[in-house]
Amino acid sequence: MVSSSHEALHRIFQQDPGLFARAARHLGVAFPPPVSTVELSTDLTETQPLERRVDTLLQMNTEDGSFLLAVESQGRPAPDKSASWAYYLSYVYAKYRIPPVLLVVCADRGTAEWAARQVDIGPRQWCSLSLRPLVLGPDDVPVIDSPDDAARDIPLTVLSAALHRRDPGADAILNALAKALKGLSADDENTATTFIELTEQGLGATQAAELWRHLMAVDLSFFQSQTAQQLRAEGRAKDLLLLLGHRGVEVSEEDRERIVGCGDPDVLGLWFSNALTATSTAEVFASEGEAGPDAG
């Protein structure tokens, strides 16, 4: 199953294709920024019953010409992946007749080192094809911990947070990103919500994700879109279950589903307050305002 963090590491380039040229500078490679982009089908399946899909495929049109950008999010080394990547590049070049570039994004340093190897395909006497991916890992994207720097390039800051999610500097990146997002105008709510969601996905199941949920609930509470509200609710539901567990309050499977399924952060906040002193889930849920028989 494809994880959310996997999705974020390539979807960020769909959201802002120009991020590729800015991020590639940290690899010492100068690509011109796109003047336009075309999102292409990621389906590389042939007529045979074999399905192949690249994570993200973009046609990047620049003043110097066009190229195809194939973005792969890679969580761990995979021995067969080099052959698949070579196939992707050969296939899209044959199909579109546009030069392709493979970008592999890795949140793990060991995986990034593995992915960056040049792979020569052919017998030792003659290399018929060389695979040379561009790789963005934690050591290739800077720690962006200044709110001013974050505001100048929010997509790059989201990528920085995702790639440094296990590093000591993750908290500073997230605080800077939260301040940058808070500085967006009300007209940019949809944009902010998209980057909030991508950050949440990119952090995966890490301690940094807990901090981000807290920042969303406090510093970014003014974003009232459905997605942002849902993400805040998920964080509050998790906090409520943790509190009940620490206090030894028994939570049935039905109660757990009720808590996790509640999408209203305000209701979850009331339940959390009750949970501080409650001895049963019945006392927790009483905050919904359920009237007794004598209520008028």
Side-chain angles (χ1 to χ4, degrees):
M1 179 179 293
V2 177
S3 67
S4 294
S5 58
H6 173 102
E7 290 292 313
L9 290 180
H10 69 87
R11 278 185 55 212
I12 186 68
F13 293 93
Q14 297 176 13
Q15 180 66 27
D16 181 7
L19 173 62
F20 169 66
R22 302 195 300 276
R25 294 188 197 124
H26 299 288
L27 300 174
V29 185
F31 282 91
V35 294
S36 67
T37 60
V38 179
E39 189 168 342
L40 304 175
S41 171
T42 60
D43 190 346
L44 308 183
T45 307
E46 293 190 62
T47 55
Q48 298 95 330
L50 177 63
E51 183 175 306
R52 300 178 187 268
R53 289 184 183 272
V54 66
D55 287 337
T56 285
L57 184 61
L58 301 170
Q59 178 178 325
M60 310 284 275
N61 303 315
T62 76
E63 293 181 349
D64 291 342
S66 300
F67 66 93
L68 299 179
L69 177 64
V71 185
E72 282 279 282
S73 173
Q74 191 67 26
R76 61 179 63 88
D80 298 334
K81 206 63 178 180
S82 296
S84 297
W85 290 339
Y87 173 89
Y88 296 165
L89 296 179
S90 298
Y91 180 90
V92 297
Y93 183 64
K95 180 176 182 178
Y96 296 106
R97 298 295 178 183
I98 300 174
V101 174
L102 172 64
L103 175 68
V104 183
V105 189
C106 311
D108 173 74
R109 286 180 170 82
T111 304
E113 182 178 357
W114 163 82
R117 298 173 305 162
Q118 176 175 318
V119 177
D120 295 327
I121 300 173
R124 64 177 180 82
Q125 293 88 349
W126 189 263
C127 173
S128 300
L129 182 67
S130 290
L131 177 69
R132 299 177 60 207
L134 281 173
V135 178
L136 285 173
D139 294 331
D140 304 304
V141 173
V143 171
I144 301 177
D145 53 10
S146 159
D148 290 339
D149 291 341
R152 277 191 286 271
D153 198 335
I154 288 177
L156 184 61
T157 308
V158 173
L159 182 63
S160 176
L163 295 184
H164 292 283
R165 61 194 181 197
R166 295 185 179 89
D167 293 347
D171 290 5
I173 300 172
L174 295 177
N175 277 291
L177 178 58
K179 290 182 173 65
L181 289 170
K182 194 171 183 179
L184 294 177
S185 67
D187 294 337
D188 292 321
E189 180 179 329
N190 289 336
T191 299
T193 299
T194 297
F195 289 126
I196 289 171
E197 178 186 1
L198 283 170
T199 303
E200 171 81 7
Q201 291 178 340
L203 294 174
T206 61
Q207 290 185 344
E210 297 294 327
L211 172 62
W212 185 243
R213 279 190 282 269
H214 172 75
L215 290 172
M216 283 191 292
V218 179
D219 292 344
L220 301 178
S221 60
F222 57 93
F223 289 118
Q224 297 300 319
S225 70
Q226 183 176 357
T227 302
Q229 192 167 2
Q230 177 184 350
L231 291 174
R232 290 197 301 276
E234 290 175 2
R236 291 188 180 185
K238 185 174 182 179
D239 291 342
L240 174 56
L241 289 171
L242 286 173
L243 175 61
L244 292 172
H246 285 312
R247 297 198 64 248
V249 177
E250 184 177 351
V251 179
S252 67
E253 188 61 31
E254 182 180 356
D255 291 337
R256 181 178 298 274
E257 290 179 0
R258 184 176 183 180
I259 292 170
V260 173
C262 179
D264 189 333
D266 294 332
V267 171
L268 287 164
L270 290 173
W271 289 351
F272 189 91
S273 296
N274 273 12
L276 295 172
T277 56
T279 58
S280 69
T281 54
E283 295 178 15
V284 173
F285 297 140
S287 60
E288 283 185 287
E290 297 168 343
D294 298 330

